[in-house]
Amino acid sequence: MRTQVGIIGGGPSGLLLSQLLHLRGIETVVLEKHSREYVLGRIRAGVLEHSFAALMREAQVGERMDREGQIHEGFFIAHDGIKERVDLRALTGGKTVLVYGQTELTRDLYDARDRFGGVVIHGAEDVRPHAIDTSRPYLTYRVGADVERIDCDYVVGCDGFHGVSRQSIPNDKIRLLERVYPFGWLGVLSRTKPVSPELIYAAHERGFALCSLRSPSLSRYYIQVPVTDSVDDWSDEQFFDELHRRLPDEVATAMITGTSIEKSIAPLRSLVVEPMRFGNLFLAGDAAHIVPPTGARGLNTAASDIYYLYHALVDHYSKRDDRGLESYSERALARVWKGQRFSWWMTMLLHQFPDNSPYENRLQKTELDYLFSSEKALASLAENYVGLPF
Ligand code: FAD
Ligand code: DHB
């Protein structure tokens, strides 16, 4: 088989790029290791910045998102028994975020690829990029005993943190800059009325907690847990007990608890791969960078990579102009690093670090004091949370 752009990974990055390129007459094939049901079973991001939403509309997949997504004009930070509001709209001159689950967004993208006749191959095993440092790269993959080959002009690695794309680049051609945190987030999805119509990020001496939601009847809650914990260590009752302890009384008493319909642990990590290109292989999304989820940047940063790469590929095919492809890594990384900085800062602000000295703990408290005593500091938080311009 031959295509113009071979995409590894059928998560949000790969599907969005495929859909955007299709609308500009550029052919793609998406190779996804797992089944569609598996990909749609993963509960992840919930907060979309407005530029991401605009890109979804440009890809003609924004209809359900606009109908069912909830516009959020602010969120709360809880600490020391109180909660204080960050008024995103007022602090950013009118900007807001959209609460719409990654699962729903991925489903919309799959539906669109089906509708437009896009090629997404599920269950593609042993996907491998070849000859990526030549002008004739190709991909191989296996379905059962059969090995298939796809020739292409470019390969885009959208295969997430554990994918094969990054690993196909020789070690001496890339640099990994990384920070691993000694805790994870235990997340629970429950079919209960959310405790608050706006998100609550809570800093507490027992650890961080987050009250989020997917719809007026679907809650998403998280608590910081040691990275060594497993899901089996936490019954639903234990989870909600611990969540209650970390929230101000007025929030804890208002919470409706229920049975979990999904429970998972995500380790926290910061990682950047530099550069985001090797020959004719381009990396995008979680394949190139990971953030701790605290600032809700992961999916949103993936979207900015896709924005730059989409325009670069359109310029290449429609105008033979390769400046966008040449500058892709540099442009994408400039924004990636701002997302890294913000996610790291939010994580440091709100989590308990087991090895922190009393001095560092006091600095953390002072950071919160400063935030809520300075309009300028709050405006900086808000500007980053709604998303810096692409
Ligand atoms: P992925 O979603 O990881 O998709 C990669 C795809 O590639 C997968 O489908 C995988 O099966 C496939 N694949 C892997 N290896 C191969 C291979 N060898 N061959 C073929 N296919 C392969 N981000 C936000 O912006 N806002 C949030 O509120 C937010 N909250 C989060 C909460 C949690 C608990 C977690 C864990 C993450 C959160 N994120 C958030 C981050 C966000 O989910 C990720 O950044 C996003 O999924 C990245 O999309 P992607 O398509 O680049 O990668
Ligand atoms: C959600 C996840 C986040 O990382 C975040 O910062 C906000 C919300 C969520 O899953 O709802």
Side-chain angles (χ1 to χ4, degrees), residues 34-55:
H34 292 292
S35 67
R36 188 176 290 203
E37 295 67 43
Y38 179 92
V39 175
L40 291 174
R42 292 185 301 219
I43 308 294
R44 287 178 163 184
V47 177
L48 307 182
E49 49 182 62
H50 67 286
S51 313
F52 189 118
L55 199 57

Side-chain angles (χ1 to χ4, degrees), residues 272-384:
V272 182
V273 178
E274 292 186 336
M276 287 169 58
R277 173 186 189 176
F278 173 68
N280 284 322
L281 167 70
F282 294 84
L283 300 177
D286 277 19
H289 39 77
I290 298 288
V291 283
T294 326
R297 291 302 83 202
L299 183 58
N300 289 307
T301 309
S304 63
D305 294 351
I306 297 305
Y307 175 87
Y308 298 131
L309 196 51
Y310 154 57
H311 284 286
L313 287 164
V314 168
D315 286 351
H316 167 80
Y317 284 109
S318 64
K319 300 191 263 185
R320 291 278 141 204
D321 177 351
D322 282 349
R323 281 174 299 177
L325 289 176
E326 298 304 335
S327 61
Y328 166 69
S329 176
E330 198 182 323
R331 283 184 80 194
L333 281 167
R335 194 170 188 279
V336 162
W337 273 109
K338 295 192 184 95
Q340 290 280 327
R341 185 204 69 81
F342 180 63
S343 307
W344 163 82
W345 176 80
M346 279 277 277
T347 303
M348 301 299 281
L349 179 73
L350 299 173
H351 290 73
Q352 282 299 308
F353 286 76
D355 295 332
N356 261 8
S357 64
Y359 177 83
E360 287 162 317
N361 287 336
R362 284 291 280 128
L363 274 187
Q364 200 179 24
K365 277 198 164 301
T366 307
E367 186 81 33
L368 271 172
D369 282 354
Y370 170 59
L371 187 62
F372 287 106
S373 63
S374 160
E375 178 106 351
K376 291 201 171 89
L378 265 185
S380 165
L381 186 168
E383 177 185 46
N384 281 275

Side-chain angles (χ1 to χ4, degrees), residues 44-47 185 199 201 210 212-214 220 222 293-297 385:
R44 287 178 163 184
V47 177
W185 278 18
L199 273 68
Y201 291 81
L210 169 61
S212 181
L213 65 159
R214 290 290 178 276
R220 181 67 167 161
Y222 296 97
T294 326
R297 291 302 83 202
Y385 194 86

